[in-house]
Amino acid sequence: MSPNIGAPGTDLSRRDFAKATGTVGIASLAGCATGYQGTANRQPASQSTANDLPLAGAPEVVDVTEQDNQVTLRSVTSKLPVHPGEKMGGPVELPQVWAFQADDRTPSVPGPIIRTTEGEDIEVTLDNTDASMPHTLHFHGVRKTWENDGVPTTTGITVMPGEEHTYQIPANVPGTHLYHCHYQTHRHIDMGMYGIFRVDPEGYEPADTEVFMTLKDWDSRLNRQIAGEDVSYSPRQRNPDVFTINGRSAPRTLHPEDGSPVIVSQGDTVRIHLANNGYMNHPMHTHNHRFRVVEKDGAPVPDAAQHEQDIVDVAPAQRRTIEFEADADPGIYLMHCHKVSHAMNGNSYPGGMVGAIVYEEVMDSAIFADLMNYAGYEG
């Protein structure tokens, strides 16, 4: 029998893997090291080019309570326009990612923000019928039965190509959580298979402005290798060179449609849900605004433990919900990772993991118009 390169409970041999991904020789012997194609659009890399692939969009909020507590996710091989402009170190593009698509919405990296309410248990179907490789879904935070944990090695459940599987996910722990593929996790997350799972507590009161931000560091050699480029990559020698907020780097982060600027009005209560789906810590700093951390990893922080601060470190897989009042002099204020090398596009500064708090009162200013020009926004 051919050696198994997948996980206990699967029958994916090296030969099957090579057949599914269009790789041979060293690639097949390397197991998950090269050649993976998500749903491949749905072709092996040898039969497709980056120009054939759709662009992964910005993540959308999917309120599953509005669709009978059900959602279907599938992986779509795409490319990620991190910063398509030619200024500020651009263009920056990941030539291949595996984007999550919710139902018939636009595939995105990060994946869609799956939102529900405490007590509204949901069904998440992983549709792998058009795929060329195995996937699973693992949800952080909530308490679930063993078989719904999404780890192939411990549950024996792997969603193989041509199959689909429905996970029963109870909404029993309010807060901001994560989800991701747990098959060959070290690569599938790095190829874009991750997102936010939000469970609002009963009686939840939204803020005036509420934003979800997923932080991610990337070693683009992996994406380039899987897209067919002749580059060397090892997860043991990972060297991130692209840094994103919601799949975009500055100045694209400021794009009002494709990015995620925090647009506020004077006096607003602002709530930002930060999630780190990367592999590095990111100390996030807000200019001219001091905030309180009101949730940690989905758990509310008691009032007595809250204090004002202007930087919060978010470690891999951690979530931090911060809250502040938009009471500064109306203007444009950065919000960025304070590892300054993460606020760059290649050797160009600024870029990378840089966003902004933008007051509506200044959105008709010449300075904001210049920023939008840099971000590629027309109109």
Side-chain angles (χ1 to χ4, degrees), residues 195-218:
I196 287 179
F197 175 43
R198 171 67 190 179
V199 180
D200 292 331
E202 293 183 12
Y204 182 68
E205 295 184 8
D208 297 315
T209 298
E210 189 162 8
V211 178
F212 293 87
M213 288 186 174
T214 298
L215 314 175
K216 181 72 171 69
D217 49 272
W218 308 79

Side-chain angles (χ1 to χ4, degrees), residues 233-375:
Y233 172 79
S234 167
R236 291 291 189 184
Q237 297 175 330
R238 193 172 177 274
N239 185 25
D241 59 340
V242 176
F243 301 89
T244 61
I245 299 174
N246 286 347
R248 303 292 186 264
S249 292
R252 198 65 170 180
T253 51
L254 306 178
H255 194 294
E257 296 171 353
D258 194 41
S260 51
V262 184
I263 299 175
V264 302
S265 291
Q266 185 78 17
D268 276 358
T269 297
V270 183
R271 189 174 299 147
I272 303 175
H273 304 278
L274 296 166
N276 185 350
N277 257 303
Y279 302 159
M280 306 176 75
N281 286 50
H282 299 294
M284 297 301 293
H285 169 54
T286 52
H287 284 209
N288 215 38
H289 295 79
R290 292 177 65 78
F291 56 79
R292 292 167 290 111
V293 177
V294 297
E295 283 185 15
K296 288 185 176 182
D297 301 331
V301 177
D303 290 346
Q306 296 179 20
H307 59 89
E308 291 192 343
Q309 56 195 91
D310 59 21
I311 193 162
V312 60
D313 193 29
V314 190
Q318 283 189 334
R319 292 87 68 202
R320 298 290 185 263
T321 296
I322 66 174
E323 193 169 297
F324 61 90
E325 302 301 314
D327 56 4
D329 180 37
I332 304 166
Y333 300 101
L334 295 185
M335 178 178 181
H336 62 92
C337 179
H338 221 290
K339 291 182 178 178
V340 182
S341 60
H342 297 183
M344 300 176 68
N345 294 327
N347 292 321
S348 177
Y349 174 87
M353 201 173 285
V354 176
I357 301 164
V358 180
Y359 281 72
E360 288 184 342
E361 291 89 336
V362 303
M363 290 183 71
D364 60 354
S365 67
I367 293 176
F368 188 71
D370 287 343
L371 283 174
M372 292 301 97
N373 179 54
Y374 280 125

Side-chain angles (χ1 to χ4, degrees), residues 182-194:
H182 219 297
Y183 183 89
Q184 301 292 355
T185 319
H186 62 304
R187 296 189 184 277
H188 288 219
I189 289 179
D190 245 3
M191 285 300 293
M193 299 190 72
Y194 62 86

Side-chain angles (χ1 to χ4, degrees), residues 27 76 84 96 98 107 131 144 188 190 192 219 233 246 316 351:
V76 177
Q96 190 169 137
W98 301 334
K144 50 198 174 295
H188 288 219
D190 245 3
D219 184 331
Y233 172 79
N246 286 347

